[in-house]
């Protein structure tokens, strides 16, 4: 699998990443291990996790597999995100809370550092300088190699970068993680222009439109799908509407013409958008993940890309 630099930084990641959101919920320990092995065998490196996934279960499962030597820790780029729940040290972006949450993540993963620490969006209750100081402490102490932001608005990313430069902070955000797919192109309105201007790489989550772009919901809701899961159904339903149906039909038509799967078309579209460093996919099992990894050899023809751009054009 090809690797890409994250923005202008020296960090390199596989252009398809492995998400762990369902681990500990719809994906059990054994299936998670099979996914991890399949991912690494295909050359994948970026593994994304968060302390809110399964209330920490996802990180515990990943940490257990790393401790067992299922894959080599040094072969992975571990990207952890999110702050801890409200507590005595403050909420979300408070320095004490951020660092406590980071330490808890490291304990669950059984590692001494994160390769990429992605902080939650914006918090008006906490001075930005305090948040930046937490990142600097984390990097200078060796607990973090690079830092990024989760779902910032374009102006929030720009403000963070410029404030860090003004303070002489050597730790600038290298990534912005946000939802991005043919069904959800909001990032193009403000965030992606900001990332390109400031040399920050986009890490796209839900590139398959929360599974809707695979075409699995065109004739109903399969019993083994995320939309049939009590935990994930609301997450999927947010992307099922009339506009989505038109886009999905275009993806199905493109897949038929190319002799490939709708999944491959949708994922390749996101993966190769300007500014995207990696597209993170989740999977129920190793077979499903392998199908996503198989898109590595697929590049969409310009005319098909243009047609998909047109049908999915967001409101400006």
């Amino acid at each position: 699998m090809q690797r890409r630099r994250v923005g202008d930084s020296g960090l390199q990641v596989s252009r398809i990443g492995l998400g762990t959101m369902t681990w500990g919920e719809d994906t059990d320990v054994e299936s998670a291990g099979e996914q991890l092995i399949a991912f690494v065998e295909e050359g994948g490196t970026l593994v994304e996790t968060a302390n809110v996934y399964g209330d920490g279960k996802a990180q515990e499962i990943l940490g257990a597999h790393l401790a067992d030597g299922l894959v080599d820790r040094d072969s992975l780029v571990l990207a952890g995100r999110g702050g801890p729940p409200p507590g005595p040290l403050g909420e979300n972006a408070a320095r004490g809370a951020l660092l406590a949450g980071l330490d808890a993540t490291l304990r669950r993963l059984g590692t001494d550092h994160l390769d990429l620490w992605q902080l939650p969006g914006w918090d008006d209750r906490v001075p930005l300088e305090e948040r930046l100081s937490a990142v600097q402490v984390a990097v200078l102490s060796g607990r973090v190699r690079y830092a990024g932001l989760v779902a910032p608005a374009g102006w929030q990313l720009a403000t963070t970068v410029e404030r860090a430069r003004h303070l002489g902070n050597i730790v600038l955000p290298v990534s912005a993680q946000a939802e991005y797919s043919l069904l959800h192109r909001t990032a193009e309105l403000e965030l992606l222009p900001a990332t390109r201007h400031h040399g920050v790489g986009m890490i796209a989550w839900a590139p398959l439109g929360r599974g809707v772009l695979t075409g699995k919901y065109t004739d109903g809701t399969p019993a083994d799908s995320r939309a049939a899961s009590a935990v994930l159904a609301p997450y999927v339903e947010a992307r099922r509407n009339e506009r989505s149906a038109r886009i999905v039909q275009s993806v199905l038509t493109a897949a038929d013409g190319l002799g490939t799967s709708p999944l491959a078309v949708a994922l390749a579209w996101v993966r190769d958008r300007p500014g995207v460093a990696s597209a993170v996919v989740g999977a129920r099992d190793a077979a499903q993940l392998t199908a996503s990894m198989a898109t590595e050899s697929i590049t969409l023809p310009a005319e098909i890309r243009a047609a998909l751009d047109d049908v999915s054009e967001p409101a400006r």
Side-chain angles (χ1 to χ4, degrees), residues 252-304:
L252 292 173
T253 300
D256 184 60
L258 293 172
T260 188
S261 67
L263 179 154
V265 171
L267 183 53
W269 183 89
V270 174
R271 184 199 65 201
D272 294 335
R273 295 295 285 179
V276 172
S278 185
V280 176
V281 296
R284 183 177 59 254
D285 51 39
Q288 198 175 65
L289 176 63
T290 299
S292 294
M293 305 287 282
T295 63
E296 178 67 14
S297 61
I298 295 172
T299 301
L300 298 181
E303 60 273 17
I304 288 181

Coordinates of all heavy atoms in Angstrom, one line a residue, residues 252-304:
L252 N -23.2 3.1 -8.1 CA -23.5 1.8 -8.6 C -23.2 1.7 -10.1 O -22.7 0.7 -10.6 CB -24.9 1.4 -8.3 CG -25.3 1.2 -6.8 CD1 -26.7 1.0 -6.6 CD2 -24.5 0.0 -6.3
T253 N -23.7 2.8 -10.8 CA -23.5 2.8 -12.3 C -22.0 2.8 -12.6 O -21.5 2.1 -13.6 CB -24.2 4.0 -12.9 OG1 -25.6 4.0 -12.6 CG2 -24.0 4.1 -14.4
A254 N -21.2 3.6 -11.9 CA -19.8 3.7 -12.1 C -19.1 2.4 -11.9 O -18.2 2.0 -12.6 CB -19.2 4.8 -11.3
A255 N -19.5 1.8 -10.8 CA -18.9 0.5 -10.4 C -19.2 -0.6 -11.5 O -18.3 -1.4 -11.9 CB -19.4 0.0 -9.1
D256 N -20.4 -0.6 -12.0 CA -20.8 -1.5 -13.0 C -19.9 -1.3 -14.3 O -19.4 -2.2 -14.9 CB -22.2 -1.4 -13.3 CG -22.7 -2.4 -14.3 OD1 -22.6 -3.6 -14.1 OD2 -23.2 -2.0 -15.4
G257 N -19.7 0.0 -14.7 CA -19.0 0.3 -15.9 C -17.5 0.0 -15.7 O -16.8 -0.4 -16.7
L258 N -17.0 0.1 -14.5 CA -15.6 -0.2 -14.3 C -15.3 -1.7 -13.9 O -14.1 -2.1 -13.8 CB -15.0 0.7 -13.1 CG -15.0 2.1 -13.4 CD1 -14.6 2.9 -12.1 CD2 -13.9 2.4 -14.5
G259 N -16.4 -2.5 -13.7 CA -16.2 -3.9 -13.3 C -15.6 -4.0 -11.9 O -14.8 -4.9 -11.7
T260 N -16.0 -3.1 -11.0 CA -15.5 -3.2 -9.7 C -16.7 -3.0 -8.7 O -17.9 -3.0 -9.1 CB -14.4 -2.1 -9.4 OG1 -13.9 -2.3 -8.1 CG2 -15.0 -0.7 -9.5
S261 N -16.4 -2.8 -7.4 CA -17.5 -2.7 -6.4 C -17.8 -1.2 -6.1 O -17.0 -0.3 -6.3 CB -17.1 -3.4 -5.1 OG -16.0 -2.7 -4.5
P262 N -19.0 -1.0 -5.7 CA -19.4 0.4 -5.3 C -18.5 0.9 -4.1 O -18.1 2.1 -4.1 CB -20.8 0.3 -4.8 CG -21.4 -0.9 -5.5 CD -20.2 -1.9 -5.6
L263 N -18.1 0.0 -3.2 CA -17.2 0.3 -2.2 C -15.9 0.9 -2.7 O -15.4 1.9 -2.3 CB -16.9 -0.9 -1.3 CG -15.9 -0.8 -0.1 CD1 -16.3 -1.9 0.9 CD2 -14.5 -1.0 -0.6
A264 N -15.3 0.2 -3.7 CA -14.1 0.6 -4.3 C -14.2 2.0 -5.0 O -13.3 2.9 -4.9 CB -13.6 -0.4 -5.4
V265 N -15.3 2.3 -5.6 CA -15.5 3.6 -6.3 C -15.6 4.7 -5.2 O -14.9 5.7 -5.4 CB -16.8 3.6 -7.1 CG1 -17.1 5.0 -7.6 CG2 -16.6 2.6 -8.3
A266 N -16.4 4.5 -4.2 CA -16.6 5.5 -3.2 C -15.3 5.8 -2.4 O -15.0 6.9 -2.1 CB -17.7 5.1 -2.2
L267 N -14.6 4.7 -2.1 CA -13.3 4.9 -1.3 C -12.2 5.5 -2.2 O -11.5 6.4 -1.7 CB -12.9 3.5 -0.8 CG -11.6 3.5 0.1 CD1 -11.8 4.5 1.3 CD2 -11.4 2.1 0.6
A268 N -12.1 5.1 -3.4 CA -11.1 5.7 -4.3 C -11.3 7.2 -4.5 O -10.4 8.0 -4.6 CB -11.0 5.0 -5.6
W269 N -12.6 7.6 -4.6 CA -13.0 9.0 -4.8 C -12.4 9.8 -3.6 O -11.8 10.9 -3.8 CB -14.5 9.2 -4.9 CG -14.9 10.6 -5.2 CD1 -15.0 11.2 -6.4 CD2 -15.2 11.6 -4.2 NE1 -15.4 12.5 -6.2 CE2 -15.5 12.8 -4.9 CE3 -15.2 11.6 -2.8 CZ2 -15.9 14.0 -4.2 CZ3 -15.6 12.8 -2.1 CH2 -15.9 13.9 -2.9
V270 N -12.7 9.4 -2.4 CA -12.2 10.1 -1.2 C -10.7 10.1 -1.1 O -10.0 11.1 -0.9 CB -12.8 9.6 0.1 CG1 -12.2 10.3 1.3 CG2 -14.3 9.8 0.1
R271 N -10.1 8.9 -1.2 CA -8.7 8.7 -1.1 C -7.8 9.6 -1.9 O -6.8 10.1 -1.5 CB -8.4 7.2 -1.4 CG -6.9 6.8 -1.2 CD -6.7 5.5 -2.0 NE -6.8 5.8 -3.4 CZ -7.0 4.8 -4.3 NH1 -7.1 3.6 -3.9 NH2 -7.0 5.1 -5.6
D272 N -8.3 9.9 -3.1 CA -7.5 10.7 -4.1 C -8.0 12.1 -4.2 O -7.5 12.8 -5.1 CB -7.5 10.0 -5.4 CG -6.8 8.7 -5.4 OD1 -6.0 8.5 -4.5 OD2 -7.2 7.8 -6.2
R273 N -8.8 12.6 -3.3 CA -9.1 14.0 -3.3 C -7.9 14.9 -2.8 O -7.1 14.4 -2.0 CB -10.3 14.3 -2.3 CG -11.6 13.6 -2.8 CD -12.1 14.2 -4.1 NE -12.7 15.5 -3.9 CZ -13.2 16.2 -4.9 NH1 -13.2 15.7 -6.1 NH2 -13.8 17.4 -4.7
P274 N -7.7 16.1 -3.4 CA -6.6 16.9 -3.0 C -6.6 17.2 -1.5 O -7.6 17.5 -0.9 CB -6.9 18.2 -3.8 CG -7.7 17.8 -5.0 CD -8.6 16.7 -4.5
G275 N -5.5 17.0 -0.9 CA -5.3 17.3 0.5 C -5.5 16.1 1.4 O -5.2 16.2 2.6
V276 N -6.1 15.0 0.9 CA -6.4 13.9 1.8 C -5.1 13.0 1.9 O -4.5 12.6 1.0 CB -7.5 13.0 1.2 CG1 -7.7 11.7 2.0 CG2 -8.8 13.8 1.2
A277 N -4.7 12.8 3.2 CA -3.5 12.0 3.5 C -3.9 10.5 3.6 O -3.2 9.6 3.2 CB -2.8 12.4 4.7
S278 N -5.1 10.3 4.2 CA -5.6 8.9 4.4 C -7.1 8.9 4.6 O -7.6 9.9 5.1 CB -4.9 8.3 5.6 OG -5.2 6.9 5.8
A279 N -7.7 7.8 4.2 CA -9.1 7.6 4.4 C -9.3 6.4 5.4 O -8.8 5.3 5.1 CB -9.8 7.3 3.1
V280 N -9.9 6.6 6.5 CA -10.0 5.6 7.5 C -11.3 4.8 7.4 O -12.4 5.4 7.3 CB -10.0 6.3 8.9 CG1 -10.2 5.2 10.0 CG2 -8.7 7.0 9.1
V281 N -11.2 3.5 7.3 CA -12.3 2.6 7.1 C -12.5 1.7 8.3 O -11.5 1.3 8.9 CB -12.2 1.8 5.8 CG1 -12.2 2.6 4.6 CG2 -11.0 0.9 5.9
G282 N -13.7 1.4 8.7 CA -14.0 0.5 9.7 C -14.6 -0.8 9.0 O -15.1 -0.7 7.9
A283 N -14.6 -1.9 9.7 CA -15.1 -3.1 9.1 C -15.6 -4.1 10.2 O -15.2 -4.0 11.4 CB -14.0 -3.9 8.4
R284 N -16.6 -4.9 9.8 CA -17.2 -5.9 10.7 C -16.2 -7.0 10.9 O -16.1 -7.6 12.0 CB -18.5 -6.4 10.2 CG -19.2 -7.3 11.1 CD -20.6 -7.7 10.5 NE -20.5 -8.4 9.2 CZ -20.8 -7.8 8.0 NH1 -21.2 -6.5 8.0 NH2 -20.6 -8.4 6.9
D285 N -15.5 -7.4 9.9 CA -14.6 -8.5 10.0 C -13.4 -8.4 9.0 O -13.4 -7.4 8.2 CB -15.3 -9.9 9.7 CG -16.1 -9.9 8.4 OD1 -15.6 -9.3 7.4 OD2 -17.2 -10.4 8.4
A286 N -12.5 -9.3 9.0 CA -11.3 -9.2 8.1 C -11.7 -9.2 6.6 O -11.0 -8.6 5.8 CB -10.3 -10.3 8.5
A287 N -12.7 -10.0 6.3 CA -13.1 -10.1 4.9 C -13.6 -8.8 4.4 O -13.2 -8.3 3.2 CB -14.1 -11.2 4.7
Q288 N -14.4 -8.1 5.2 CA -14.9 -6.8 4.8 C -13.7 -5.8 4.7 O -13.7 -4.9 3.8 CB -15.9 -6.3 5.8 CG -16.8 -5.2 5.4 CD -17.9 -4.9 6.4 OE1 -17.5 -4.4 7.5 NE2 -19.1 -5.1 6.1
L289 N -12.8 -5.9 5.6 CA -11.6 -5.0 5.5 C -10.8 -5.2 4.3 O -10.3 -4.3 3.6 CB -10.8 -5.1 6.8 CG -9.5 -4.3 6.8 CD1 -9.8 -2.8 6.8 CD2 -8.7 -4.7 8.1
T290 N -10.6 -6.5 4.0 CA -9.8 -6.8 2.8 C -10.4 -6.3 1.5 O -9.7 -5.8 0.6 CB -9.7 -8.4 2.7 OG1 -9.0 -8.9 3.9 CG2 -8.9 -8.8 1.5
A291 N -11.7 -6.2 1.5 CA -12.4 -5.6 0.3 C -12.1 -4.2 0.2 O -11.9 -3.6 -0.9 CB -13.9 -5.8 0.5
S292 N -12.0 -3.5 1.3 CA -11.6 -2.1 1.3 C -10.1 -1.9 0.9 O -9.8 -1.0 0.1 CB -11.8 -1.4 2.7 OG -13.1 -1.4 3.0
M293 N -9.3 -2.8 1.4 CA -7.9 -2.7 1.0 C -7.6 -3.0 -0.5 O -6.6 -2.5 -1.0 CB -7.1 -3.7 1.9 CG -7.2 -3.6 3.4 SD -6.4 -2.1 4.0 CE -4.8 -2.7 4.1
A294 N -8.5 -3.7 -1.1 CA -8.3 -4.1 -2.5 C -8.5 -2.9 -3.4 O -8.1 -3.0 -4.6 CB -9.3 -5.2 -2.9
T295 N -9.0 -1.8 -2.9 CA -9.1 -0.6 -3.7 C -7.8 0.1 -4.0 O -7.7 1.0 -4.8 CB -10.0 0.5 -3.1 OG1 -9.4 0.9 -1.8 CG2 -11.4 -0.1 -2.8
E296 N -6.7 -0.4 -3.4 CA -5.4 0.2 -3.5 C -5.0 0.3 -5.0 O -4.3 1.2 -5.4 CB -4.4 -0.6 -2.8 CG -2.9 -0.2 -2.9 CD -2.7 1.2 -2.2 OE1 -3.5 1.7 -1.5 OE2 -1.6 1.8 -2.5
S297 N -5.4 -0.7 -5.8 CA -5.0 -0.8 -7.2 C -5.9 0.0 -8.1 O -5.7 0.0 -9.4 CB -4.9 -2.2 -7.7 OG -6.2 -2.8 -7.6
I298 N -7.0 0.6 -7.6 CA -8.0 1.3 -8.4 C -7.8 2.8 -8.4 O -7.6 3.4 -7.4 CB -9.4 1.0 -7.9 CG1 -9.7 -0.5 -8.1 CG2 -10.5 1.8 -8.6 CD1 -10.9 -1.0 -7.4
T299 N -7.8 3.4 -9.6 CA -7.8 4.8 -9.8 C -9.0 5.2 -10.7 O -9.1 4.6 -11.8 CB -6.5 5.3 -10.5 OG1 -5.4 4.9 -9.6 CG2 -6.5 6.8 -10.6
L300 N -9.8 6.1 -10.3 CA -11.0 6.4 -11.1 C -10.6 7.2 -12.3 O -9.8 8.2 -12.2 CB -12.0 7.2 -10.2 CG -12.6 6.6 -9.0 CD1 -13.5 7.5 -8.3 CD2 -13.2 5.3 -9.4
P301 N -11.2 6.9 -13.5 CA -11.0 7.7 -14.7 C -11.5 9.1 -14.5 O -12.5 9.3 -13.7 CB -11.8 7.0 -15.8 CG -11.9 5.6 -15.2 CD -12.0 5.7 -13.8
A302 N -10.9 10.1 -15.1 CA -11.3 11.5 -14.9 C -12.8 11.8 -15.2 O -13.4 12.5 -14.5 CB -10.4 12.4 -15.8
E303 N -13.3 11.1 -16.2 CA -14.7 11.4 -16.6 C -15.7 10.8 -15.5 O -16.7 11.4 -15.2 CB -15.1 10.8 -17.9 CG -14.9 9.3 -18.1 CD -13.5 8.8 -18.5 OE1 -12.6 9.7 -18.3 OE2 -13.3 7.7 -18.9
I304 N -15.3 9.7 -14.9 CA -16.2 9.2 -13.8 C -16.0 10.0 -12.6 O -17.0 10.3 -11.9 CB -15.8 7.7 -13.5 CG1 -16.3 6.8 -14.7 CG2 -16.4 7.2 -12.2 CD1 -16.0 5.4 -14.5

